[in-house]
Each structure stands twice: as structure tokens, then as C-alpha cells.
Amino acid sequence: LQACVEAGTCWQQEIARFVEHRLAENMRSWQAVAGARDVASLVKAQQDWSVKAAADYAEAAQRMRALATTLSLTGTTPAVQQSAQLLG
């Protein structure tokens, strides 16, 4: 039970970390948009936001997949855990 609680806590912490990070990045992007002096700088700010957001979401998906795997293996036998690691 303790392992399940710890895994669930890690899941919640990861979600909170991601949301906080994306909010900060979005704020920086809005500041760049607000400070745009011409169409080119506006487009650049939007492109930078898109690239960063895509990378952040991809990274978060990998982290959440790893946490989900850990959570799903909580309480299983070492043999099951080893098999899951081999499947990667």
C-alpha cells in the first residue's frame, strides 16, 4: 500500500511540475508577443512557443509513461518487474 501511495504522489507531483512549467513558459511567450515590434518578431515568438510546447509535452509524455509503468508494477513480483524492464 505504501508503494502505491508513493507512486500516486509522484504522479501528482509530476503533473503539478508540468503545469507550473508550462504556465511560466506561456507567460514568457505572451510577454514576447506583447513586445513584438513587427510581424516577423510576432511570428518568431509564436514559432518559439510552438517548438517549446511540443518538446515539453513530448518530455512530459515520456515521464508520465515511466510513472504509469512504475505504478502498474507496484506490488508485482520481481520476475514481473524484470520482464517489464526487458520489454522497455
Side-chain angles (χ1 to χ4, degrees):
L1 179 61
Q2 180 67 25
C4 286
V5 170
E6 288 173 6
T9 299
C10 286
W11 181 272
Q12 291 174 337
Q13 288 172 339
E14 181 58 30
I15 290 172
R17 185 207 64 78
F18 175 76
V19 169
E20 182 178 340
H21 174 74
R22 283 306 315 149
L23 286 172
E25 288 297 323
N26 288 346
M27 181 58 78
R28 279 190 274 282
S29 294
W30 277 111
Q31 289 170 341
V33 166
R37 297 179 191 258
D38 54 27
V39 173
S41 59
L42 181 65
V43 170
K44 174 81 168 99
Q46 193 278 329
Q47 287 173 336
D48 291 347
W49 174 85
S50 297
V51 169
K52 180 68 172 138
D56 287 348
Y57 276 93
E59 180 185 326
Q62 289 177 336
R63 292 170 95 125
M64 297 306 283
R65 181 195 56 80
L67 285 172
T69 300
T70 300
L71 185 57
S72 69
L73 293 174
T74 300
T76 61
T77 65
V80 170
Q81 292 174 9
Q82 186 178 20
S83 295
Q85 286 178 344
L86 292 174
L87 295 174

